[in-house]
């Protein structure tokens, strides 16, 4: 694609990067075949190719964004399926991130949009604020249908029925490995996940320590900045990201780290991009160090090997026995359980990790199935399901239909947003991949698989 940026414009590092990306595009249109919003809406401007044209026109002409341009860019999920499909290597993620930052600076949204984005940016990245908001949403949920704004209805409807108690395992501390130490890793405990589902981090810590990792929750680390970054609120996102960089570098420069483990793939995609985000910042070198050792939990688990090697085989707990063939009393309860694996976009497209979670589940004894069109987004996409609820619902319904068609016992995913989105209507237990792997290698049965009400302890214990 030819571009006409002036030498003056190209002095901007952001314009330089966008120019490189735009010039890589050859207009082939392969991206339209895998773009969820194009499939749902059928509008060329709601495809990556269409959005690229809009962004190019806006940036080249140095013009203030208009409502039409903003509408179509806002409708982008940032699922990055287009990047997986693109034969020319167009880095759409960096381009659309730049466009959103540009829009945030130069476009005045309607008051309701500004208010919603302000609220989301000041609640979701802060676990305690989010807990309070969830409690309010839980109270208001019965009245959701009376809300005039579809986005407010979506916020109330997405509130979970139960809010888990705070897990003290998320506090800054260190967990000793079982047996010989193989790695020292920092666990990113996140923000929204700590309010929505504390089982994920607890299971991750149990699993990693069982496999020989010293697990550190670093003092000062928190939200990765993804939620505000994808809203174009660059100053806010960089502030939270900078805190993480400083916290993890302190550990790297102290006792050292072999990896920064991330069990929410949306966060992982952002942390792995810190080197780019801070490329022109005084923190550039440290940001690059952090990105270099950031790993999805599945990457670390694959590197560690089989948790049963050199150790004792797992003995199923009494409450796991139901469903085991009486002729095979020693077979673990999970063996052969059918798991429908949902591939989060941020994992399969953003990080290009496609087989590790499935390989780990199969190795642990689960039967893994995948839904049709597994490359398509479920419609969660960070805050997308709250800001674009109509499109999000169509994508959710499609995803749930394909998952249910596999008739699984459980659905597994590697991202809390996807878990909440699918779990809100699937009618099938939805758990994180690490919860199943933890259970299979000696940990407790995932609470969401227990039929007994109140079976979950007040504060999940590490085992």
């Amino acid at each position: 694609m030819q571009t006409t940026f002036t030498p003056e414009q190209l002095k901007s590092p952001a314009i330089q990067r966008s120019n490189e990306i735009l010039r890589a595009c050859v207009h082939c249109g392969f991206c339209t075949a895998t773009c969820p919003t194009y499939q749902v809406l059928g509008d060329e401007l709601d495809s990556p190719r269409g959005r690229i044209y809009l962004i190019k026109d806006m940036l080249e002409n140095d013009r203030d964004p208009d409502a039409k341009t903003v509408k179509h860019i806002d409708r982008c999920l940032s699922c990055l399926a287009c990047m997986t499909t693109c034969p020319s290597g167009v880095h759409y993620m960096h381009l659309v991130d730049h466009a959103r930052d540009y829009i945030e600076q130069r476009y005045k949204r309607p008051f309701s949009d500004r208010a919603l984005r302000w609220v989301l940016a000041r609640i979701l990245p802060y676990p305690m604020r989010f807990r309070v908001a969830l409690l309010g949403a839980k109270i208001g949920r019965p009245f959701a249908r009376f809300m005039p704004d579809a986005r407010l209805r979506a916020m109330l409807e997405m509130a979970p029925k139960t809010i888990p108690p705070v897990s003290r395992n998320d506090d800054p501390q260190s967990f000793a490995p079982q047996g010989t130490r193989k790695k020292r890793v920092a666990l990113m405990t996140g923000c929204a996940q700590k309010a929505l589902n504390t089982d994920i981090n607890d299971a991750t810590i149990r699993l990693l320590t069982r496999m020989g990792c010293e697990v550190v929750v670093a003092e000062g680390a928190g939200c990765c900045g993804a939620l505000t970054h994808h809203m174009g609120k660059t100053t806010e996102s960089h502030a939270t990201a900078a805190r993480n960089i400083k916290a993890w570098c302190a550990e790297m420069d102290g006792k050292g780290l072999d990896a920064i483990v991330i069990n929410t793939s949306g966060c992982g995609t952002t942390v792995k991009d810190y080197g780019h985000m801070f490329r022109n910042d005084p923190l550039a070198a440290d940001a690059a160090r952090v990105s270099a050792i950031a790993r999805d939990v599945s990457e670390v688990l694959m590197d560690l090997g089989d948790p049963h090697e050199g150790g004792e085989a797992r003995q199923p707990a009494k409450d796991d026995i139901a469903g085991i063939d009486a002729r095979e009393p020693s077979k673990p309860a999970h063996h052969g359980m059918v798991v429908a694996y949902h591939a989060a976009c941020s994992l399969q497209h953003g990080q290009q990790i496609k087989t590790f979670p499935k390989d780990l589940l199969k190795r642990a004894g689960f039967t893994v199935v995948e839904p049709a069109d597994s490359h398509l987004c479920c419609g969660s996409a960070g805050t997308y399901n709250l800001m674009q609820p109509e499109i999000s619902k169509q994508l959710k319904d499609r995803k749930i239909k394909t998952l249910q068609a596999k008739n699984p016992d459980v659905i597994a995913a590697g991202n809390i947003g996807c878990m909440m989105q699918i779990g809100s209507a699937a009618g099938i237990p939805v758990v994180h991949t690490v919860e199943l792997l933890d259970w299979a290698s000696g940990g407790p049965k995932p609470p969401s698989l227990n039929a007994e009400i109140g079976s979950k302890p007040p504060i999940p214990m590490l085992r």
Side-chain angles (χ1 to χ4, degrees):
M1 178 181 289
Q2 291 185 340
T3 57
T4 58
F5 291 105
T6 67
E8 188 67 25
Q9 287 177 305
L10 290 172
K11 290 180 180 178
S12 162
I15 292 292
Q16 285 181 24
R17 178 60 177 146
S18 290
N19 182 52
E20 293 171 358
I21 298 166
L22 290 168
R23 291 176 69 85
C25 180
V26 296
H27 317 268
C28 67
F30 282 11
C31 57
T32 62
T34 56
C35 177
T37 52
Y38 180 70
Q39 291 199 11
V40 169
L41 302 170
D43 188 333
E44 171 74 10
L45 294 179
D46 284 312
S47 74
R49 183 170 62 181
R51 294 185 179 110
I52 285 172
Y53 281 122
L54 290 172
I55 294 169
K56 177 179 182 292
D57 176 67
M58 176 177 69
L59 297 179
E60 276 187 339
N61 293 299
D62 193 29
R63 65 173 176 80
D64 290 339
D66 55 36
K68 177 182 177 182
T69 299
V70 172
K71 178 182 73 172
H72 292 295
I73 293 175
D74 281 353
R75 284 178 174 176
C76 176
L77 292 140
S78 285
C79 71
L80 309 181
C82 55
M83 286 179 58
T84 296
T85 308
C86 180
S88 302
V90 175
H91 204 300
Y92 179 81
M93 181 177 80
H94 289 168
L95 182 66
V96 77
D97 284 347
H98 177 203
R100 285 173 169 154
D101 174 75
Y102 186 94
I103 288 169
E104 182 69 13
Q105 294 182 48
R106 299 181 59 166
Y107 179 73
K108 186 171 183 179
R109 295 177 178 275
F111 174 76
S112 60
D113 288 1
R114 297 200 309 275
L116 176 61
R117 288 167 175 264
W118 185 90
V119 168
L120 293 176
R122 280 155 183 77
I123 291 181
L124 297 187
Y126 304 92
M128 292 311 298
R129 296 182 196 177
F130 193 24
R131 283 179 173 275
V132 174
L134 288 173
L135 179 61
K138 182 180 177 182
I139 295 170
R141 190 172 182 175
F143 308 101
R145 64 183 183 275
F146 300 115
M147 291 292 172
D149 191 320
R151 296 170 299 182
L152 294 177
R153 290 197 299 272
M155 292 175 72
L156 294 177
E157 290 168 355
M158 282 296 293
K161 294 180 181 178
T162 59
I163 303 170
V166 173
S167 173
R168 296 272 67 98
N169 297 321
D170 290 331
D171 296 341
Q173 60 193 295
S174 178
F175 298 88
Q178 294 182 19
T180 303
R181 191 180 86 173
K182 298 179 181 177
K183 292 179 183 289
R184 185 174 191 268
V185 303
L187 174 64
M188 179 176 181
T189 55
C191 51
Q193 181 169 280
K194 290 199 292 189
L196 291 167
N197 188 329
T198 57
D199 298 319
I200 299 170
N201 286 341
D202 291 318
T204 302
I205 295 168
R206 285 193 299 264
L207 185 57
L208 289 173
T209 54
R210 188 180 304 123
M211 295 179 72
C213 290
E214 178 186 352
V215 180
V216 179
V217 179
E219 180 77 44
C223 175
C224 69
L227 293 172
T228 47
H229 181 64
H230 295 308
M231 289 186 206
K233 297 180 181 296
T234 302
T235 300
E236 294 176 35
S237 67
H238 279 218
T240 53
R243 287 193 285 272
N244 285 334
I245 293 168
K246 293 173 183 176
W248 290 326
C249 282
E251 289 293 341
M252 294 165 70
D253 295 334
K255 296 182 179 180
L257 290 177
D258 295 298
I260 296 165
V261 180
I262 305 166
N263 56 21
T264 299
S265 60
C267 301
T269 301
T270 298
V271 175
K272 288 182 177 183
D273 202 45
Y274 276 1
H276 171 77
M277 290 168 59
F278 285 82
R279 66 195 184 282
N280 300 301
D281 188 273
L283 282 176
D286 285 343
R289 292 170 63 201
V290 166
S291 292
I293 65 167
R295 298 286 185 272
D296 181 72
V297 63
S298 65
E299 294 180 278
V300 175
L301 294 174
M302 286 295 290
D303 188 46
L304 288 167
D306 192 331
H308 291 141
E309 290 179 358
E312 297 181 0
R314 176 186 185 273
Q315 297 299 316
K318 292 181 179 180
D319 63 346
D320 293 352
I321 300 301
I324 301 178
D325 194 316
R327 294 169 295 179
E328 298 180 285
S330 62
K331 182 180 286 188
H334 74 276
H335 191 81
M337 176 180 283
V338 178
V339 179
Y341 173 68
H342 164 70
C345 296
S346 47
L347 195 58
Q348 64 172 325
H349 302 309
Q351 300 182 52
Q352 292 294 305
I353 297 173
K354 301 179 181 180
T355 63
F356 287 175
K358 294 180 289 184
D359 293 342
L360 289 163
L361 289 168
K362 291 174 185 175
R363 190 169 70 186
F366 295 98
T367 298
V368 181
V369 296
E370 285 189 272
D373 298 323
S374 60
H375 63 283
L376 291 179
C377 185
C378 68
S380 173
T383 58
Y384 191 91
N385 54 359
L386 302 178
M387 294 195 286
Q388 300 286 340
E390 295 89 353
I391 302 172
S392 175
K393 185 178 185 305
Q394 292 182 63
L395 294 171
K396 177 178 74 173
D397 292 345
R398 175 187 290 188
K399 180 62 68 177
I400 288 175
K401 184 178 179 180
T402 60
L403 286 164
Q404 291 173 335
K406 294 296 181 178
N407 195 30
D409 299 309
V410 61
I411 297 169
N415 189 61
I416 184 64
C418 302
M419 292 171 63
M420 296 299 297
Q421 175 86 338
I422 295 169
S424 66
I428 301 168
V430 181
V431 301
H432 195 288
T433 306
V434 295
E435 293 183 81
L436 294 178
L437 297 174
D438 174 46
W439 178 34
S441 60
K445 188 174 183 179
S448 57
L449 297 183
N450 289 322
E452 300 176 15
I453 298 175
S455 60
K456 180 178 176 180
I459 297 179
M461 302 299 294
L462 295 179
R463 303 184 185 183

